Amino acid sequence: MGLNRRVFLGTMSAAAAALSAPRVLGQARPRVVVIGGGCGGATLSRYLAKDSAGAIDVTLIEAQRSYNTCFFGNLYIGGFWRIEDTAFGYAKLATDYGVNVVHEFAVGVDRDAKVVTTGSGATFGYDRLVVAPGIDFKEGSVPGWDLSAQDAMPHAYKGGTQVQLLKAQIAAMPQGGVFAMVAPPNPYRCPPGPYERVCMVAHLLKQSNPTAKILIADPKESFSKQGLFEEAWERHYPGMITRIGPDMGGKAVEVRPDTMEIVIDGEAQEVDVCNVIPAMRAGNIAAIAGLTNEAGWVPVDPATMATRADGAVFALGDSTQQGDMPKSGFSANSQAKVAANVIRGQLTGSRIFPAKYSNTCWSLLAPEDGVKVGASYEPTPEKIASVESFVSQKGEDADLRRRTYEESLGWYAGITADMFG
Amino acid sequence: MRLGLAAAAVFAATAATAADRLGDVEKGAAIFAQQCRSCHEIGEGARNRVGPQLNGIFDRKAGTAAGATYSRNMVRMGSDGLHWTLATLDAYLANPRALVSGTRMSFRGLQDPADRADVIAFLREYSAMPQNIPESAPTARKTPPGIDPAVLDIKGDAEYGEYLAQECTTCHQRDGSDRGIPSITGWPEEDFVIAMHSYKVDLRPHPVMQMMAKRLSDEEIAALAAYFGTLD
């Protein structure tokens, strides 16, 4: 705590602001603790610290010193980006905004005492807690796979080393080898993600290993932007990709990491790379804090992002069950701004405005062939409901597709600046 | 006040004149000679000058005349789907920057709807003649947006605008860079209001911006403008 306090006071502007900040409610500076420094947690920390101008003490607990975005990890796999291009640090949140950044794991939450405990045993009291831990995997959802198998069969569904491992394995495939993907059941992080990944793997193989095959075992009847992806597979990678849906056995899949086998509908097949993306649930700390429902997600109030379980605890992003918004970085960023506005209002008396949410997801199909899907949302008493939506169309001209790809690069620069300052 | 008047000019024009009547070709030729010809050529043998040649402008995709020099935003708007029609030409001639932020066309705009109708009628002489080709784009008149000019004089709530503006920076870069997505920093308030209403009525192309604009009330657009007005 002493060190963290010093780090905070070392930031001139924030410290000066803190001294002059109005204390509308209560005696000491109200404290907000944020668990998880991804799209939801980093965005919320930045906006809360910036807009309260020091009136709120914001602590961000995030184990990793360097964060790799999950989005655009597929572009790294496809050879379009370097892994460093997806990496961000938290220095600006600390120095420019006065966020107290703590690089530790949150291991306990005592909601009665309003205290978070980290791996070192340090404790952090809070007036409001924000839980934004992303996802973890459901044990046993793919028979034969657990976290101990993630080296042999990577999930590559959290940014960084797992994605690097998967790319290395693809590079090591023998000529004419097989890349298999076990796609996840709904709901899961980044609905178009597995299928964009297939495009990027196919793009890579088309150049280095053109006789290789891609096999997708999929438990879902349909998936995001399906028509666009299937059109692209036919057009850019003809004959390379086979998807086995639930009626053909895609639902009953087992893997054997020791022998690199995938068993579909009782039939074992040896593969060279196996990307297992299991069923998902909210990040562990959400369950530890007692915030999750039977499905493993955190139900939230659609108007505020406060958890249904506890009005002093908010949740953001992939870990939440909120209604119609997809689990995406854009969604988490959008939800963070709503929650930051509500929390600031509750703690300092600033105005609370109506919730507005939106999302857009870009996917890259092949070089300069980008597509997007998006929607706007508003809260109803039951859920965050979709209001209006759009999706790229099949057969769009190359100029528009290139423009959409360039737009996705602009968005990446925009949202990462919005998160990390 | 200035803001409200400029906005009203665009939409009153779009709503009534362009859709209701075509102008006078002779008068349009005179205005063109006075105000446009120093940069644009039109007719037989027309070449690109400071601005593109204007033969066949109707139904042309914006920013695509062969060999002409365009702003990056104009090319982007074309890629996003902006085509020159009665409605889009009328809005562009009324206030070029309001339709295409960052356009190279340095022109203050024709305030009088009748003048614009005359120029457009003149330009049509050098495009496919719609009276002979009934299905061609210039005859496919757009439903007038019908925006009440009064709502454009609404005084915005800047604090609410600051909150709403948070949604912009998920995509638009805070440092003003326009890589991939146009910059929204440091542009005139009146252009902003008209631009958002242009997205709202689909005059400006782009599905994300059309969606974002349609969910904003007139008060909310005014709030955003008021907030942007407080920035340096």
Side-chain angles (χ1 to χ4, degrees):
Chain A
M1 280 303 276
L3 174 68
N4 295 326
R5 176 63 60 191
R6 265 204 316 280
V7 169
F8 177 72
L9 288 176
T11 65
M12 292 299 288
S13 59
L19 293 173
S20 61
R23 289 170 186 174
V24 178
L25 306 174
Q27 62 301 349
R29 283 208 305 158
R31 297 161 304 176
V32 174
V33 172
V34 182
I35 300 177
C39 297
T43 304
L44 178 128
S45 299
R46 184 174 154 265
Y47 274 89
L48 209 50
K50 172 173 77 71
D51 293 341
S52 70
I56 296 174
D57 184 344
V58 183
T59 296
L60 172 62
I61 301 174
E62 163 59 52
Q64 301 183 84
R65 287 172 188 279
S66 174
Y67 174 87
N68 286 93
T69 62
C70 282
F71 46 95
F72 282 52
N74 284 334
L75 272 73
Y76 159 71
I77 290 175
F80 294 91
W81 276 36
R82 300 168 306 163
I83 196 73
E84 307 90 89
D85 297 332
T86 68
F88 295 85
Y90 295 91
K92 278 190 195 162
L93 289 183
T95 59
D96 295 4
Y97 299 95
V99 174
N100 177 25
V101 180
V102 178
H103 290 304
E104 288 198 59
F105 281 102
V107 295
V109 176
D110 181 340
R111 290 200 278 117
D112 294 329
K114 294 191 172 177
V115 169
V116 176
T117 309
T118 58
S120 71
T123 57
F124 298 85
Y126 64 82
D127 296 294
R128 293 291 181 278
L129 172 65
V130 180
V131 178
I135 54 106
D136 274 309
F137 300 112
K138 276 188 178 162
E139 291 78 5
S141 77
V142 179
W145 192 93
D146 61 26
L147 275 183
S148 72
Q150 71 171 4
D151 283 354
M153 295 188 169
H155 55 78
Y157 229 65
K158 297 182 180 186
T161 49
Q162 273 277 303
V163 181
Q164 289 176 282
L165 176 62
L166 184 67
K167 185 173 167 71
Q169 291 182 352
I170 296 165
M173 275 172 66
Q175 287 297 312
V178 177
F179 172 96
M181 170 187 281
V182 179
N186 289 322
Y188 63 97
R189 158 180 284 176
C190 189
Y195 309 98
E196 179 188 53
R197 174 170 294 172
V198 164
C199 291
M200 292 296 96
V201 173
H203 168 70
L204 205 59
L205 292 175
K206 190 176 168 182
Q207 302 161 74
S208 62
N209 192 346
T211 54
K213 300 288 181 206
I214 295 174
L215 177 67
I216 311 163
D218 201 333
K220 301 182 294 298
E221 294 285 353
S222 61
F223 59 88
S224 173
K225 304 181 195 162
Q226 183 163 359
L228 294 165
F229 280 117
E230 288 177 345
E231 182 188 51
W233 294 346
E234 191 62 38
R235 178 157 160 246
H236 296 297
Y237 320 109
M240 187 181 259
I241 299 161
T242 306
R243 175 174 170 267
I244 298 174
D247 44 344
M248 300 297 285
K251 209 169 188 171
V253 173
E254 179 195 335
V255 294
R256 296 171 184 160
D258 293 342
T259 53
M260 284 305 288
E261 283 177 301
I262 178 169
V263 188
I264 300 174
D265 211 11
E267 204 167 309
Q269 182 183 352
E270 206 174 311
V271 299
D272 299 291
V273 177
C274 192
N275 178 201
V276 177
I277 309 175
M280 298 174 199
R281 58 183 171 80
N284 262 335
I285 193 70
I288 291 169
L291 301 169
T292 49
N293 62 12
E294 281 184 6
W297 305 106
V298 183
V300 291
D301 172 2
T304 63
M305 298 307 291
T307 60
R308 298 282 196 193
D310 185 337
V313 180
F314 290 68
L316 302 173
D318 293 353
S319 65
T320 63
Q321 179 173 304
Q322 31 69 21
D324 296 346
M325 295 183 82
K327 297 185 185 301
S328 74
F330 198 126
S331 292
N333 172 273
S334 175
Q335 293 161 8
K337 291 165 185 175
V338 170
N341 177 253
V342 171
I343 291 171
R344 188 161 64 94
Q346 291 178 351
L347 296 179
T348 71
S350 65
R351 289 167 69 189
I352 297 177
F353 297 108
K356 280 185 190 287
Y357 303 101
S358 58
N359 177 66
T360 301
C361 291
W362 286 266
S363 299
L364 186 59
L365 306 175
E368 304 209 317
D369 189 355
V371 291
K372 64 190 169 198
V373 59
S376 59
Y377 305 86
E378 63 184 27
T380 68
E382 295 76 36
K383 65 172 186 174
I384 298 179
S386 174
V387 181
E388 198 177 337
S389 66
F390 66 86
V391 60
S392 295
Q393 300 299 304
K394 288 205 262 184
E396 286 171 341
D397 66 36
D399 186 25
L400 178 56
R401 290 294 179 86
R402 182 187 45 74
R403 172 87 186 88
T404 303
Y405 169 61
E406 286 172 359
E407 190 176 274
S408 74
L409 302 178
W411 167 75
Y412 190 90
I415 192 172
T416 52
D418 205 37
M419 291 163 64
F420 297 107
Chain B
M1 257 336 258
R2 194 164 143 253
L3 181 155
L5 285 174
V10 167
F11 289 103
T14 314
T17 315
D20 291 348
R21 58 174 279 257
L22 283 174
D24 182 309
V25 175
E26 296 298 321
K27 285 185 189 164
I31 296 169
F32 187 89
Q34 268 180 358
Q35 307 220 29
C36 314
R37 202 163 61 197
S38 54
C39 297
H40 292 283
E41 291 189 358
I42 194 165
E44 197 178 335
R47 295 159 302 154
N48 296 318
R49 303 259 315 263
V50 174
Q53 61 84 12
L54 296 175
N55 290 335
I57 183 73
F58 275 95
D59 206 32
R60 185 197 284 168
K61 184 167 157 177
T64 60
T69 307
Y70 291 102
S71 66
R72 184 174 350 185
N73 275 9
M74 180 65 87
V75 174
R76 280 177 179 170
M77 287 293 244
S79 297
D80 287 341
L82 180 66
H83 284 68
W84 295 119
T85 64
L86 281 181
T88 56
L89 274 173
D90 190 55
Y92 191 60
L93 289 177
N95 184 348
R97 281 182 311 159
L99 187 72
V100 182
S101 319
T103 176
R104 290 179 68 241
M105 185 155 105
S106 171
F107 180 57
R108 67 181 182 283
L110 289 170
Q111 296 310 308
D112 185 343
D115 288 349
R116 295 197 298 274
D118 293 343
V119 170
I120 289 169
F122 170 71
L123 293 176
R124 275 158 57 96
E125 296 292 307
Y126 300 94
S127 288
M129 294 297 285
Q131 58 268 48
N132 301 328
I133 314 168
E135 69 277 15
S136 71
T139 54
R141 292 183 183 175
K142 198 171 172 60
T143 308
I147 291 173
D148 178 359
V151 303
L152 300 166
D153 281 330
I154 297 168
K155 188 167 161 29
D157 173 349
E159 199 179 344
Y160 186 29
E162 181 176 12
Y163 167 75
L164 292 170
Q166 295 177 358
E167 202 157 32
C168 310
T169 52
T170 302
C171 299
H172 294 279
Q173 294 148 67
R174 291 170 48 240
D175 63 4
S177 158
D178 77 339
R179 178 188 181 202
I181 290 179
S183 167
I184 53 168
T185 58
W187 60 327
E189 208 173 319
E190 64 189 46
D191 287 7
F192 172 80
V193 172
I194 299 168
M196 292 305 285
H197 282 287
S198 299
Y199 281 119
K200 211 169 165 170
V201 299
D202 295 345
L203 257 179
R204 280 188 173 217
H206 202 275
V208 178
M209 285 309 303
Q210 288 171 352
M211 180 181 81
M212 300 307 273
K214 278 173 192 167
R215 78 203 291 232
L216 294 172
S217 67
D218 298 331
E219 287 77 13
E220 287 170 334
I221 291 177
L224 277 164
Y227 168 64
F228 287 132
T230 66
L231 301 178
D232 293 332

